[in-house]
Amino acid sequence: MPPNPYLGVFFHWLGGLAAASFYIPYRGVRKWAWETYWLVGGVFSWLVAPLVMASLLVPGFWGVLRATEGRTLLWAFLFGALWGVGGLTFGLSMRYLGIALGYAIALGLCTAFGTLVPPLVRGQMGPLLQESSGHWILLGVAVCLMGIAASGLAGHSKERELTEEQKRGSVSEFNFPKGFGVATLSGVMSACMAFALDAGKPITSAAQASLLAQGRSDLWQGLPVLVVVLWGGFATNFVWCTFLSIRNRTGYQYLNRVSGGPDAREAKAAPLLPNYLFAALAGVTWYFQFFFYTMGQSRMGKYDFSSWTLHMASIITFSTLWGIALKEWRGTSRRTHALIALGLAILIGSTVIVGYGNTLKAGGL
């Protein structure tokens, strides 16, 4: 199918909605440590969902992977493992900063690194600077960063206006210094997902050829590479969560219905089945961000690296809306609310600009 950037933007917005929503089901988990529910959710997001969706929508995808050079598989896996560090610390960002502020800080850095490094490596910056379509795309990236800055200012304003008690009323473990540190690390390392998908382009191309040869839509061409990349992400998170389970002695939570330190026998039972269901729902929801991301990327044309900007902008937009719905901004001033609205408006505008730039490129301008 020919490029269709506006359809691509729509898919990226669906992916952004999934990414902004995945942490919500975790709020229903009871009496489990963070490392327990994070790893259970990760099994579904990094192992189960990718394999199921690739098997259903890309017949013979194992053959595509077997035919891929080992070097390509290795780089996709390694960048996926580095991205796993970003995903791991991203979860901690939500824990210490809340949804709105955590997303704004982490994804600001993630947008800049993930959007601009791949075209630099591929040598695409020259054409970008020479073509009108490239000018529009770079303008869209700049506008997106402005929107993220406005969202970050709103978060900083909230930090100054609310008391510690008010902050913990919406985010129980609110800790700005600790949260800012892990959100910064998360933003830099999460950009490795863009590098991983770029390194795995030969897998995507082979999957596209296989789908077209079978008379199927190539919309699902990005699903096989996700399997490899997310294996890398799972490896990193598995090691860290296992370490925490051993250190914190929380490993019993996976099977034992009783939780609660040395007096476990007197503690109330953890709702084991609901916990697994909530964690699984969170994990599958998380996976769908990249399910739709690869669909959107397949329709963006030559400058598909701009998909990362669209993805980040839509995530921050929907996460800000979730933050409002969950009353994370309750008690803040009109100035802070104005910054929230400004950030949302700028981010939405940036996606329109990037989509327009890709449309110009599809038309040869």
Side-chain angles (χ1 to χ4, degrees):
M1 291 177 64
N4 187 338
Y6 289 117
L7 180 60
V9 169
F10 174 72
F11 286 137
H12 284 309
W13 276 84
L14 289 179
L17 175 60
S21 305
F22 90 94
Y23 208 80
I24 305 300
Y26 283 135
R27 297 167 72 98
V29 174
R30 297 289 181 266
K31 302 181 184 297
W32 267 7
W34 177 86
E35 59 269 20
T36 304
Y37 67 72
W38 187 254
L39 185 57
V40 171
V43 168
F44 285 90
S45 57
W46 304 316
L47 295 181
V48 176
L51 286 171
V52 169
M53 298 308 294
S55 298
L56 290 175
L57 298 173
V58 188
F61 87 95
W62 282 114
V64 170
L65 295 184
R66 282 195 295 268
T68 302
E69 285 187 3
R71 178 186 178 87
T72 298
L73 294 173
L74 178 62
W75 279 113
F77 178 88
L78 289 178
F79 276 124
L82 292 174
W83 161 83
V85 176
L88 184 65
T89 49
F90 188 74
L92 293 174
S93 302
M94 303 302 99
R95 179 178 175 182
Y96 296 128
L97 295 177
I99 292 175
L101 184 54
Y103 271 96
I105 295 174
L107 298 190
L109 288 169
C110 189
T111 300
F113 280 93
T115 299
L116 298 177
V117 172
L120 281 171
V121 173
R122 281 191 243 155
Q124 286 184 307
M125 290 305 291
L128 268 175
L129 296 173
Q130 296 170 6
E131 300 173 351
S132 59
S133 56
H135 297 162
W136 279 100
I137 291 172
L138 290 177
L139 174 63
V141 173
V143 170
C144 176
L145 293 175
M146 291 171 57
I148 292 170
S151 298
L153 285 174
H156 179 66
S157 181
K158 171 189 175 181
E159 163 71 12
R160 296 179 58 184
E161 292 171 0
L162 300 183
T163 66
E164 291 300 316
E165 184 178 352
Q166 287 174 314
K167 294 168 193 171
R168 289 190 169 88
S170 57
V171 184
S172 60
E173 297 182 73
F174 188 88
N175 186 317
F176 185 76
K178 186 183 292 187
F180 183 82
V182 295
T184 300
L185 176 61
S186 172
V188 174
M189 299 305 291
S190 292
C192 288
M193 174 58 80
F195 310 155
L197 295 176
D198 192 63
K201 276 188 174 296
I203 303 174
T204 302
S205 298
Q208 180 186 33
S210 175
L211 285 167
L212 293 176
Q214 298 176 60
R216 294 174 175 267
S217 170
D218 63 352
L219 194 59
W220 323 111
Q221 60 185 273
L223 298 185
V225 71
L226 275 182
V227 173
V228 179
V229 173
L230 295 180
W231 279 343
F234 177 77
T236 304
N237 283 264
F238 177 80
V239 169
W240 179 245
C241 289
T242 301
F243 166 75
L244 289 180
S245 292
I246 295 172
R247 189 189 69 177
N248 299 332
R249 299 181 180 180
T250 54
Y252 69 90
Q253 294 178 344
Y254 294 108
L255 297 176
N256 195 332
R257 289 180 55 83
V258 177
S259 65
D263 249 339
R265 285 179 297 183
E266 298 179 10
K268 294 182 179 178
L272 201 61
L273 180 58
N275 280 0
Y276 272 103
L277 291 176
F278 278 123
L281 177 60
V284 173
T285 302
W286 182 96
Y287 166 75
F288 273 108
Q289 70 167 306
F290 286 114
F291 176 82
F292 287 115
Y293 177 89
T294 57
M295 292 169 63
Q297 189 178 41
S298 73
R299 295 296 173 259
M300 295 307 294
K302 179 180 178 182
Y303 291 148
D304 58 357
F305 71 88
S306 60
S307 292
W308 198 247
T309 300
L310 296 170
H311 187 59
M312 296 296 109
S314 60
I315 292 175
I316 296 175
T317 298
F318 286 114
S319 66
T320 301
L321 293 175
W322 270 119
I324 294 171
L326 296 172
K327 300 181 180 180
E328 291 183 356
W329 300 94
R330 181 173 52 190
T332 55
S333 66
R334 290 185 178 180
R335 175 181 179 274
T336 300
H337 291 172
L339 285 171
I340 297 169
L342 177 63
L344 284 174
I346 295 174
L347 288 168
I348 292 171
S350 74
T351 66
V352 174
I353 294 171
V354 170
Y356 177 67
N358 277 279
T359 300
L360 288 180
K361 184 61 185 176
L365 299 178

